[in-house]
mmCIF file with all atom_site columns, all heavy atoms in Angstrom:
data_model
loop_
_atom_site.group_PDB
_atom_site.id
_atom_site.type_symbol
_atom_site.label_atom_id
_atom_site.label_alt_id
_atom_site.label_comp_id
_atom_site.label_asym_id
_atom_site.label_entity_id
_atom_site.label_seq_id
_atom_site.pdbx_PDB_ins_code
_atom_site.Cartn_x
_atom_site.Cartn_y
_atom_site.Cartn_z
_atom_site.occupancy
_atom_site.B_iso_or_equiv
_atom_site.pdbx_formal_charge
_atom_site.auth_seq_id
_atom_site.auth_comp_id
_atom_site.auth_asym_id
_atom_site.auth_atom_id
_atom_site.pdbx_PDB_model_num
ATOM 1  N N   . GLU A 1 55 ? -126.867 -138.849 189.225 1.00 94.00 ? 471 GLU A N   1
ATOM 2  C CA  . GLU A 1 55 ? -127.010 -140.360 189.409 1.00 94.00 ? 471 GLU A CA  1
ATOM 3  C C   . GLU A 1 55 ? -125.846 -140.963 188.654 1.00 94.00 ? 471 GLU A C   1
ATOM 4  O O   . GLU A 1 55 ? -125.626 -140.642 187.463 1.00 94.00 ? 471 GLU A O   1
ATOM 5  C CB  . GLU A 1 55 ? -128.335 -140.844 188.790 1.00 94.00 ? 471 GLU A CB  1
ATOM 6  C CG  . GLU A 1 55 ? -129.530 -140.456 189.654 1.00 94.00 ? 471 GLU A CG  1
ATOM 7  C CD  . GLU A 1 55 ? -130.768 -141.105 189.034 1.00 94.00 ? 471 GLU A CD  1
ATOM 8  O OE1 . GLU A 1 55 ? -130.708 -141.685 188.014 1.00 94.00 ? 471 GLU A OE1 1
ATOM 9  O OE2 . GLU A 1 55 ? -131.871 -140.915 189.667 1.00 94.00 ? 471 GLU A OE2 1
ATOM 10 N N   . LEU A 1 56 ? -125.120 -141.914 189.314 1.00 92.00 ? 472 LEU A N   1
ATOM 11 C CA  . LEU A 1 56 ? -124.061 -142.576 188.600 1.00 92.00 ? 472 LEU A CA  1
ATOM 12 C C   . LEU A 1 56 ? -124.515 -144.052 188.252 1.00 92.00 ? 472 LEU A C   1
ATOM 13 O O   . LEU A 1 56 ? -125.117 -144.691 189.131 1.00 92.00 ? 472 LEU A O   1
ATOM 14 C CB  . LEU A 1 56 ? -122.851 -142.644 189.532 1.00 92.00 ? 472 LEU A CB  1
ATOM 15 C CG  . LEU A 1 56 ? -122.136 -141.307 189.812 1.00 92.00 ? 472 LEU A CG  1
ATOM 16 C CD1 . LEU A 1 56 ? -120.960 -141.518 190.703 1.00 92.00 ? 472 LEU A CD1 1
ATOM 17 C CD2 . LEU A 1 56 ? -121.632 -140.730 188.513 1.00 92.00 ? 472 LEU A CD2 1
ATOM 18 N N   . GLU A 1 57 ? -124.143 -144.466 187.096 1.00 87.00 ? 473 GLU A N   1
ATOM 19 C CA  . GLU A 1 57 ? -124.520 -145.772 186.599 1.00 87.00 ? 473 GLU A CA  1
ATOM 20 C C   . GLU A 1 57 ? -123.284 -146.643 186.307 1.00 87.00 ? 473 GLU A C   1
ATOM 21 O O   . GLU A 1 57 ? -122.210 -146.084 186.050 1.00 87.00 ? 473 GLU A O   1
ATOM 22 C CB  . GLU A 1 57 ? -125.432 -145.599 185.344 1.00 87.00 ? 473 GLU A CB  1
ATOM 23 C CG  . GLU A 1 57 ? -126.725 -144.874 185.650 1.00 87.00 ? 473 GLU A CG  1
ATOM 24 C CD  . GLU A 1 57 ? -127.563 -144.660 184.375 1.00 87.00 ? 473 GLU A CD  1
ATOM 25 O OE1 . GLU A 1 57 ? -127.084 -145.078 183.347 1.00 87.00 ? 473 GLU A OE1 1
ATOM 26 O OE2 . GLU A 1 57 ? -128.631 -144.110 184.501 1.00 87.00 ? 473 GLU A OE2 1
ATOM 27 N N   . ASP A 1 58 ? -123.521 -147.979 186.310 1.00 83.00 ? 474 ASP A N   1
ATOM 28 C CA  . ASP A 1 58 ? -122.421 -148.882 186.068 1.00 83.00 ? 474 ASP A CA  1
ATOM 29 C C   . ASP A 1 58 ? -122.948 -150.028 185.214 1.00 83.00 ? 474 ASP A C   1
ATOM 30 O O   . ASP A 1 58 ? -124.012 -150.649 185.624 1.00 83.00 ? 474 ASP A O   1
ATOM 31 C CB  . ASP A 1 58 ? -121.818 -149.356 187.312 1.00 83.00 ? 474 ASP A CB  1
ATOM 32 C CG  . ASP A 1 58 ? -120.659 -150.338 187.084 1.00 83.00 ? 474 ASP A CG  1
ATOM 33 O OD1 . ASP A 1 58 ? -120.928 -151.578 187.009 1.00 83.00 ? 474 ASP A OD1 1
ATOM 34 O OD2 . ASP A 1 58 ? -119.539 -149.898 187.127 1.00 83.00 ? 474 ASP A OD2 1
ATOM 35 N N   . ASP A 1 59 ? -122.358 -150.410 184.111 1.00 82.00 ? 475 ASP A N   1
ATOM 36 C CA  . ASP A 1 59 ? -122.839 -151.421 183.233 1.00 82.00 ? 475 ASP A CA  1
ATOM 37 C C   . ASP A 1 59 ? -122.951 -152.808 183.860 1.00 82.00 ? 475 ASP A C   1
ATOM 38 O O   . ASP A 1 59 ? -123.892 -153.616 183.734 1.00 82.00 ? 475 ASP A O   1
ATOM 39 C CB  . ASP A 1 59 ? -122.043 -151.546 181.930 1.00 82.00 ? 475 ASP A CB  1
ATOM 40 C CG  . ASP A 1 59 ? -122.265 -150.341 180.954 1.00 82.00 ? 475 ASP A CG  1
ATOM 41 O OD1 . ASP A 1 59 ? -123.227 -149.623 181.213 1.00 82.00 ? 475 ASP A OD1 1
ATOM 42 O OD2 . ASP A 1 59 ? -121.434 -150.218 180.051 1.00 82.00 ? 475 ASP A OD2 1
ATOM 43 N N   . GLU A 1 60 ? -121.936 -153.154 184.666 1.00 83.00 ? 476 GLU A N   1
ATOM 44 C CA  . GLU A 1 60 ? -121.914 -154.423 185.292 1.00 83.00 ? 476 GLU A CA  1
ATOM 45 C C   . GLU A 1 60 ? -123.091 -154.541 186.364 1.00 83.00 ? 476 GLU A C   1
ATOM 46 O O   . GLU A 1 60 ? -123.807 -155.568 186.420 1.00 83.00 ? 476 GLU A O   1
ATOM 47 C CB  . GLU A 1 60 ? -120.620 -154.718 186.038 1.00 83.00 ? 476 GLU A CB  1
ATOM 48 C CG  . GLU A 1 60 ? -119.493 -154.947 185.056 1.00 83.00 ? 476 GLU A CG  1
ATOM 49 C CD  . GLU A 1 60 ? -118.139 -155.248 185.828 1.00 83.00 ? 476 GLU A CD  1
ATOM 50 O OE1 . GLU A 1 60 ? -118.133 -156.301 186.472 1.00 83.00 ? 476 GLU A OE1 1
ATOM 51 O OE2 . GLU A 1 60 ? -117.253 -154.340 185.821 1.00 83.00 ? 476 GLU A OE2 1
ATOM 52 N N   . ILE A 1 61 ? -123.336 -153.549 187.139 1.00 86.00 ? 477 ILE A N   1
ATOM 53 C CA  . ILE A 1 61 ? -124.413 -153.492 188.116 1.00 86.00 ? 477 ILE A CA  1
ATOM 54 C C   . ILE A 1 61 ? -125.729 -153.545 187.414 1.00 86.00 ? 477 ILE A C   1
ATOM 55 O O   . ILE A 1 61 ? -126.626 -154.310 187.774 1.00 86.00 ? 477 ILE A O   1
ATOM 56 C CB  . ILE A 1 61 ? -124.313 -152.236 188.986 1.00 86.00 ? 477 ILE A CB  1
ATOM 57 C CG1 . ILE A 1 61 ? -122.955 -152.236 189.814 1.00 86.00 ? 477 ILE A CG1 1
ATOM 58 C CG2 . ILE A 1 61 ? -125.515 -152.151 189.915 1.00 86.00 ? 477 ILE A CG2 1
ATOM 59 C CD1 . ILE A 1 61 ? -122.816 -153.408 190.626 1.00 86.00 ? 477 ILE A CD1 1
ATOM 60 N N   . SER A 1 62 ? -125.872 -152.780 186.258 1.00 82.00 ? 478 SER A N   1
ATOM 61 C CA  . SER A 1 62 ? -127.113 -152.854 185.527 1.00 82.00 ? 478 SER A CA  1
ATOM 62 C C   . SER A 1 62 ? -127.392 -154.247 185.006 1.00 82.00 ? 478 SER A C   1
ATOM 63 O O   . SER A 1 62 ? -128.588 -154.697 184.944 1.00 82.00 ? 478 SER A O   1
ATOM 64 C CB  . SER A 1 62 ? -127.021 -151.816 184.386 1.00 82.00 ? 478 SER A CB  1
ATOM 65 O OG  . SER A 1 62 ? -126.886 -150.490 184.834 1.00 82.00 ? 478 SER A OG  1
ATOM 66 N N   . ARG A 1 63 ? -126.330 -154.927 184.487 1.00 86.00 ? 479 ARG A N   1
ATOM 67 C CA  . ARG A 1 63 ? -126.523 -156.271 183.995 1.00 86.00 ? 479 ARG A CA  1
ATOM 68 C C   . ARG A 1 63 ? -126.984 -157.213 185.123 1.00 86.00 ? 479 ARG A C   1
ATOM 69 O O   . ARG A 1 63 ? -127.946 -158.029 184.881 1.00 86.00 ? 479 ARG A O   1
ATOM 70 C CB  . ARG A 1 63 ? -125.232 -156.815 183.457 1.00 86.00 ? 479 ARG A CB  1
ATOM 71 C CG  . ARG A 1 63 ? -125.242 -158.300 183.080 1.00 86.00 ? 479 ARG A CG  1
ATOM 72 C CD  . ARG A 1 63 ? -123.916 -158.760 182.530 1.00 86.00 ? 479 ARG A CD  1
ATOM 73 N NE  . ARG A 1 63 ? -123.920 -160.251 182.524 1.00 86.00 ? 479 ARG A NE  1
ATOM 74 C CZ  . ARG A 1 63 ? -123.661 -161.049 183.512 1.00 86.00 ? 479 ARG A CZ  1
ATOM 75 N NH1 . ARG A 1 63 ? -123.298 -160.452 184.645 1.00 86.00 ? 479 ARG A NH1 1
ATOM 76 N NH2 . ARG A 1 63 ? -123.578 -162.341 183.310 1.00 86.00 ? 479 ARG A NH2 1
#
Side-chain angles (χ1 to χ4, degrees):
E471 289 182 354
L472 293 178
E473 299 176 356
D474 179 273
D475 288 347
E476 290 182 68
I477 299 300
S478 297
R479 173 183 167 273

